[in-house]
Amino acid sequence: EQDVVDYRNSLAIRVSGFDVPRPVKTFEDCGFSPQLMNAISKQGYEKPTPIQCQAFPIVLSGSDIIGIAKTGSGKTASFVLPMIVHIMDQPELEKEEGPIGVICAPTRELAHQIYLESKKFAKSHGIRVSAVYGGMSKLDQFKELKSGCEIVVATPGRLIDMLKMKALTMLRATYLVLDEADRMFDLGFEPQIRSIVGQIRPDRQTLLFSATMPRRVEKLAREILSDPVRVTVGEVGM
Ligand code: ADP
Ligand code: MG
């Protein structure tokens, strides 16, 4: 309807895909738990940023998403908050182990930032987050992963090392995020990303976020996402 079109225009949001849900206006519109709402207000977040307004309802509906918005636009929370909901929705299966949410980022600094942001929201539900990136002892990381977690934030190379060491399994992983996909490409991580994706069940939900969308990232996205909804905020370079 026209009011949805006007609202998207006012936030500089463009969407493509099938049956795209209308963007939310407030965190209350998302149906987040009281614990999560508390954690959000503790962060001082008063209302969702434009990418969050459109990404939340898409991701909460279970769709794959390509989210393109410039640095500093709040992309992290747009995948972290629905990931908490996704994890809390999983049935408890005693025999299954390994992370439910897997987030890949190009550098240890970025992985660490996402780790910190995830922990703030995860702890409200007793969800455990592990960080897996270079510069930390592999043995310590191995032990931490063995002790169990629901979310892993990783750089691709170190995650593959940990998978080879059988520090974790991907049997339970159903929510995969590729953050800063353009930079992962620039850093030559395409083979590692493909290897990780190949180890996660095909019925997963896959989210890809990027500040720019060069053609080779577009091509990868077409191969590993299923009927993604695409959201662009503002003017974005190629
Ligand atoms: P991006 O990944 O798009 O570069 P970030 O997720 O790192 O952006 O967010 C940039 C900054 O905005 C961070 O400091 C984050 O805590 C803050 N932020 C995210 N969402 C909100 C919000 N809804 N309200 C206020 N600040 C927010
Ligand atoms: Mg980011």
Side-chain angles (χ1 to χ4, degrees), residues 1-186:
E1 309 102 77
Q2 192 56 40
D3 61 329
V4 176
V5 172
D6 290 343
Y7 181 46
R8 283 199 182 111
N9 285 339
S10 74
L11 299 176
I13 295 172
R14 277 169 296 137
V15 296
S16 62
F18 188 66
D19 263 354
V20 184
R22 62 168 61 218
V24 298
K25 295 193 167 150
T26 65
F27 287 113
E28 284 74 15
D29 291 342
C30 300
F32 293 138
S33 68
Q35 297 96 306
L36 207 45
M37 291 299 289
N38 261 325
I40 291 165
S41 44
K42 251 175 119 178
Q43 287 310 301
Y45 295 179
E46 289 172 4
K47 62 182 178 56
T49 66
I51 185 73
Q52 293 165 7
C53 287
Q54 184 61 83
F56 287 151
I58 293 169
V59 181
L60 290 168
S61 79
S63 276
D64 283 5
I65 187 172
I66 299 172
I68 309 159
K70 66 176 199 289
T71 300
S73 54
K75 294 191 289 298
T76 316
S78 54
F79 57 78
V80 167
L81 294 173
M83 174 173 61
I84 304 299
V85 176
H86 176 95
I87 291 169
M88 295 311 293
D89 279 348
Q90 301 305 303
E92 294 216 23
L93 294 172
E94 278 170 43
K95 283 173 77 180
E96 300 285 359
E97 50 182 38
I100 298 168
V102 176
I103 303 167
C104 292
T107 65
R108 60 177 85 154
E109 290 75 19
L110 280 162
H112 186 68
Q113 280 175 26
I114 298 165
Y115 166 73
L116 294 177
E117 178 102 347
S118 301
K119 273 218 311 199
K120 289 174 194 160
F121 298 110
K123 73 173 180 215
S124 67
H125 282 283
I127 293 170
R128 298 163 297 173
V129 189
S130 288
V132 171
Y133 45 78
M136 290 200 273
S137 140
K138 281 192 188 175
L139 183 61
D140 288 348
Q141 254 165 25
F142 180 87
K143 286 185 195 154
E144 187 185 321
L145 288 169
K146 277 290 183 189
S147 75
C149 63
E150 286 73 41
I151 298 171
V152 160
V153 185
T155 51
R158 183 58 73 98
L159 180 56
I160 287 178
D161 292 344
M162 289 294 128
L163 286 163
K164 282 186 184 145
M165 290 167 73
K166 302 213 185 303
L168 74 167
T169 78
M170 293 296 203
L171 289 172
R172 204 161 63 135
T174 46
Y175 189 102
L176 171 66
V177 182
L178 304 174
D179 192 27
E180 305 232 5
D182 51 355
R183 288 187 64 194
M184 289 206 277
F185 252 86
D186 291 342

